[in-house]
């Protein structure tokens, strides 16, 4: 097994993909809108990925946040709210907001488990800043670190209750970035004292099973390398100050915040301390470069992977999406 999560080219596996995945044995997979046509198609795809890997608990990830980021969307699946309505409700009724966040996350998990997806890249623990780039914006759970941590905890809980592993992102905080890391490399020049606010929600959820790094440079910690490529940020801040000991994946290797070839990017994030290199495009040449740069997954990373997947039940108690969403909406109406 290699320490990589790979994307897929389309709604069904091609012969080249099957042969490649059998050969390299990636630790897991990630799905995007191009892979999500309908329920029957997705279930057949995820069943084949499990069969191909030989692991019933192989991680199959998706970004199903709601709002702007929803890979499984209308007309096949219901539209989900962004994080912002939960943040607004928290200002009026914190307990109601936390319950609404839990119900929403459990509803998402119900949607995902129906089609065989067992990991959701949620919640964002990035603290919202009004003057920052809009890439976080309404995806954030608020601008107060304690609020973000409180709502984030209930998102993790709701996903787990529905049988899905959550991923806290983007460690150690993307909220101050003045650029979109999909397009360019953001550089945050805030001093150490200010960055403590960004780190705080991750400290509160340091026991999360999985986390994702940010492709952001924090000059107070490492002037040259973004978090995903920085042994300093990963070792001293994420593993040290935050105390996170879950499975740590990089953000997507295909984002323009990173430079160099895909082999260099993949080797770099693993050398820096990430457990998993995340590659999303499904491009075969890129995946071959990534796989060629990686050796077998480290024992400590494999242990973290197994621990993460063991945090959810194989068969979670069933509640319908419609029932959970109705209870969520009745609470959100209080805002």
């Amino acid at each position: 097994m290699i320490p990589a999560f790979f994307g897929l080219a389309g709604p069904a596996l091609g012969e080249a993909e099957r042969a490649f995945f059998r050969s390299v044995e990636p630790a897991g997979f990630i799905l995007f809108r191009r892979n999500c046509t309908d329920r029957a198609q997705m279930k057949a795809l995820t069943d084949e990925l499990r069969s191909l890997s030989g692991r019933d608990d192989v991680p199959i990830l998706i970004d199903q946040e709601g709002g702007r980021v929803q890979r499984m969307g209308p007309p096949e699946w219901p539209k989900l709210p962004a994080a912002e309505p939960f943040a607004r409700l928290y200002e009026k009724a914190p307990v109601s907001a936390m319950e609404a966040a839990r119900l929403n996350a459990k509803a998402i998990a119900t949607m995902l488990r129906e089609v065989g997806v067992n990991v959701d890249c949620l919640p964002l623990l990035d603290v919202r800043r009004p003057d920052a780039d809009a890439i976080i914006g309404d995806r954030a759970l608020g601008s107060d670190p304690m609020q973000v941590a409180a709502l984030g905890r209930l998102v993790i809980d709701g996903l787990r209750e529905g049988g899905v592993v959550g991923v806290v992102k983007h460690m150690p905080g993307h909220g101050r970035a003045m650029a979109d890391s999909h397009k360019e490399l953001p550089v945050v020049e805030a001093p150490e004292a200010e960055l403590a606010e960004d780190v705080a929600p991750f400290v509160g959820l340091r026991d999360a099973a999985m986390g994702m790094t940010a492709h952001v440079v924090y000059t107070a910690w490492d002037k040259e390398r973004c978090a995903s490529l920085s042994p300093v940020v990963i070792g001293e801040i994420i593993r040290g100050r935050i105390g996170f000991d879950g499975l740590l994946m990089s953000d997507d290797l295909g984002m323009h915040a990173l430079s160099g070839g895909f082999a260099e990017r993949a080797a770099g994030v693993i050398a820096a301390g990430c457990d998993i290199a995340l590659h999303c495009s499904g491009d075969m040449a890129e995946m071959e470069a990534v796989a060629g740069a990686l050796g077998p997954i480290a024992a400590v990373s494999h242990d973290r992977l197994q621990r993460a997947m063991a945090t959810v039940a194989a068969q979670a108690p069933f509640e319908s999406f419609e029932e959970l969403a109705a209870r969520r909406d009745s609470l959100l109406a209080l805002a």
Side-chain angles (χ1 to χ4, degrees):
M1 183 191 300
I2 63 169
F5 290 161
F6 282 134
L8 316 174
L13 288 176
E15 285 303 324
E17 285 177 315
R18 287 191 189 93
F20 174 73
F21 292 146
R22 277 196 204 97
S23 172
V24 304
E25 296 184 55
F29 305 93
I30 185 166
L31 305 182
F32 282 79
R33 186 175 290 274
R34 63 182 181 270
N35 312 120
C36 306
T37 302
D38 57 49
R39 290 166 171 81
Q41 167 269 323
M42 282 195 71
K43 187 63 168 62
L45 178 60
T46 57
D47 283 349
E48 183 170 9
L49 291 174
R50 287 189 172 82
S51 176
L52 195 65
S53 71
R55 290 176 282 148
D56 288 339
D57 65 347
V58 63
I60 301 176
L61 290 70
I62 201 166
D63 292 290
Q64 191 76 349
E65 298 177 13
R68 289 179 285 151
V69 182
Q70 181 172 342
R71 311 306 187 198
M72 297 160 57
E76 180 70 10
W77 293 278
K79 185 168 179 57
L80 298 165
E84 188 173 54
F86 302 94
R88 287 200 306 266
L89 178 58
Y90 190 94
E91 295 172 4
K92 293 184 176 181
V95 173
S96 295
M98 289 190 287
E99 176 63 2
R102 185 189 70 84
L103 290 168
N104 183 62
K106 192 169 183 180
I108 292 173
T110 299
M111 177 188 293
L112 300 186
R113 283 300 293 262
E114 181 184 20
V115 296
V117 175
N118 54 13
V119 180
D120 193 7
C121 298
L122 192 70
L124 276 74
L125 299 186
D126 306 305
V127 178
R128 188 173 186 175
R129 306 290 174 182
D131 57 343
D133 186 89
I135 186 57
I136 299 301
D138 64 358
R139 299 166 65 197
L141 289 166
S143 55
D144 175 74
M146 184 176 71
Q147 171 180 321
V148 171
L151 289 172
R153 170 66 65 187
L154 272 296
V155 171
I156 290 282
D157 289 350
L159 289 172
R160 186 180 63 249
E161 289 168 16
V164 169
V165 181
V167 180
V168 295
K169 60 185 188 183
H170 304 83
M171 303 178 84
H174 204 302
R176 292 181 191 273
M178 302 300 291
D180 178 354
S181 54
H182 295 85
K183 301 175 182 177
E184 59 184 294
L185 177 61
V187 177
V188 170
E189 297 180 338
E192 177 94 19
E194 292 181 13
L195 290 174
E197 293 184 359
D198 303 74
V199 166
F202 294 101
V203 174
L205 274 75
R206 61 184 175 272
D207 58 345
M210 292 187 180
M212 178 186 291
T213 61
H215 294 334
V216 176
V217 170
Y218 307 88
T219 58
W221 297 323
D222 189 331
K223 291 182 171 61
E224 304 297 328
R225 296 164 294 194
C226 72
S228 304
L229 293 166
S230 173
V232 176
V233 175
I234 292 176
E236 297 182 11
I237 306 303
I238 295 176
R239 296 298 190 192
R241 182 183 303 183
I242 292 173
F244 177 74
D245 191 37
L247 184 83
L248 184 66
M249 69 190 78
S250 71
D251 207 341
D252 180 18
L253 297 179
M255 292 163 63
H256 293 302
L258 304 185
S259 59
F262 280 88
E264 179 184 353
R265 298 179 190 194
V269 300
I270 298 300
C274 291
D275 295 302
I276 298 289
L278 176 66
H279 180 272
C280 297
S281 73
D283 180 275
M284 182 59 70
E286 294 176 2
M287 291 194 293
E288 287 173 344
V290 169
L294 301 177
I297 191 169
V300 64
S301 299
H302 189 259
D303 178 63
R304 288 171 178 149
L305 177 65
Q306 290 184 308
R307 282 194 282 121
M309 299 312 297
T311 59
V312 295
Q315 293 296 327
F318 178 78
E319 288 184 76
S320 74
F321 175 91
E322 291 75 15
E323 177 189 352
L324 293 162
R327 289 159 60 194
R328 171 202 69 199
D329 291 344
S330 68
L331 291 168
L332 288 178
L334 299 174

